[in-house]
Amino acid sequence: MKRVIWHVGALALLAVVLYPIVWVAAATFKPSEAIVGSLRLLPTEPTFANYERVFEGVVGIGVGRFFWNSAVLAVLSVVGTVASSALAAYAFARLRFRGRTVLFSVMIGTLLLPFHVLIIPQYVVFQNLDLVDTYVPLLAGKFLASEAFFVFLIVQFIRQLPRELDESAKIDGANHWSVFWHVILPLCRPALITTAIFTFIWSWNDFFGPLIYLSTPDKYPLPLALQLFIDESTGSDFGALMAMSMLALVPVILFFLFFQRFLVEGVSTSGLKG
């Protein structure tokens, strides 16, 4: 009996979690007026008109352009974050230099610093450098190990690796770069893939950063392009908005499904469990 109750409860919880996705998927086949004017979950007269309008583009820009912009930002964010975080983590975990403990403590302290505190000073800096309305403000920090959470994640992973591996490599004549590239980095694959997954998802779904720094619609990524379907003066196209939202979910879901095994492995072996 307890097993039946547990399964019923699990199915009920699953239904609650999946309901928003099912609602959005069903709404993509409804006329716009039926999305906000009806409580029905499933469409009474399914239509593909919403997807047709999405592929026609918005404000003269094809939907492929927005996908390309999001892909560029996501891929460069992954490359920058993984590379810079791995280098910084190796330095904190393996190298001995003056001020290492203080710097590591300061880095951990930045995890407690609200992102909103940095918005104005960062914007002023990039504005003075004439870099607003470019992708530089959105990507510069990724290549400078500014994501303290990922540095900490990889540090925890490296600290679990035996130092004898480093010493054996150094006896064979390897320097720090060789040890990092040929010994540490291959063994850190689960942590690096975990970093890549979170970075890709966060960058793909980022709305606030592009909203602050980008003003040209041709440079908009998908989350920001969605607002182009909302026009308070002439009426919003909620059907196309839902269809494009559904299409924007596809790459993230595929990316997560493909790498989820590494995600679990990385979290469970980097000291973040329990």
Side-chain angles (χ1 to χ4, degrees), residues 88-223:
Y90 176 77
F92 282 125
R94 285 295 199 256
L95 303 186
R96 296 288 181 268
F97 55 91
R98 183 175 299 177
R100 185 188 65 157
T101 304
V102 174
L103 287 175
F104 189 72
S105 301
V106 170
M107 185 204 70
I108 295 299
T110 61
L111 290 171
L112 306 176
L113 196 63
F115 169 71
H116 305 82
V117 175
L118 305 174
I119 293 175
I120 294 178
Q122 283 184 347
Y123 186 86
V124 171
V125 170
F126 288 118
Q127 187 181 39
N128 289 334
L129 294 174
D130 198 22
L131 292 174
V132 174
D133 200 26
T134 72
Y135 291 156
V136 175
L138 302 174
L139 295 172
K142 311 295 184 184
F143 289 85
L144 298 174
S146 64
E147 302 287 351
F149 173 76
F150 296 129
V151 176
F152 176 71
L153 175 78
I154 302 173
V155 165
Q156 292 295 94
F157 196 94
I158 294 176
R159 282 176 174 171
Q160 297 181 27
L161 301 177
R163 284 187 174 273
E164 288 76 9
L165 296 173
D166 305 28
E167 295 169 358
S168 299
K170 289 177 181 176
I171 291 174
D172 292 336
N175 54 24
H176 279 300
W177 172 253
S178 298
V179 172
F180 169 73
W181 185 257
H182 295 292
V183 178
I184 300 298
L185 211 54
L187 295 174
C188 288
R189 190 180 67 166
L192 299 179
I193 293 178
T194 302
T195 300
I197 292 173
F198 280 118
T199 303
F200 182 89
I201 294 175
W202 291 352
S203 176
W204 188 271
N205 294 327
D206 185 22
F207 173 80
F208 196 57
L211 178 65
I212 295 174
Y213 291 111
L214 300 180
S215 57
T216 305
D218 193 43
K219 299 176 182 176
Y220 283 1
L222 279 168

Side-chain angles (χ1 to χ4, degrees), residues 1-14:
M1 185 63 182
K2 289 183 178 179
R3 194 170 184 176
V4 174
I5 295 175
W6 189 91
H7 281 90
V8 171
L11 289 174
L13 182 61
L14 180 64

Side-chain angles (χ1 to χ4, degrees), residues 40-96:
R40 287 178 177 273
L41 176 61
L42 300 178
T44 53
E45 297 179 359
T47 175
F48 289 95
N50 296 326
Y51 287 99
E52 293 175 357
R53 289 199 299 277
V54 167
F55 286 107
E56 289 172 357
V58 59
V59 296
I61 304 172
V63 66
R65 181 68 187 179
F66 302 125
F67 272 92
W68 171 256
N69 294 339
S70 287
V72 169
L73 287 173
V75 171
L76 291 179
S77 295
V78 168
V79 172
T81 301
V82 170
S84 62
S85 298
L87 284 168
Y90 176 77
F92 282 125
R94 285 295 199 256
L95 303 186
R96 296 288 181 268

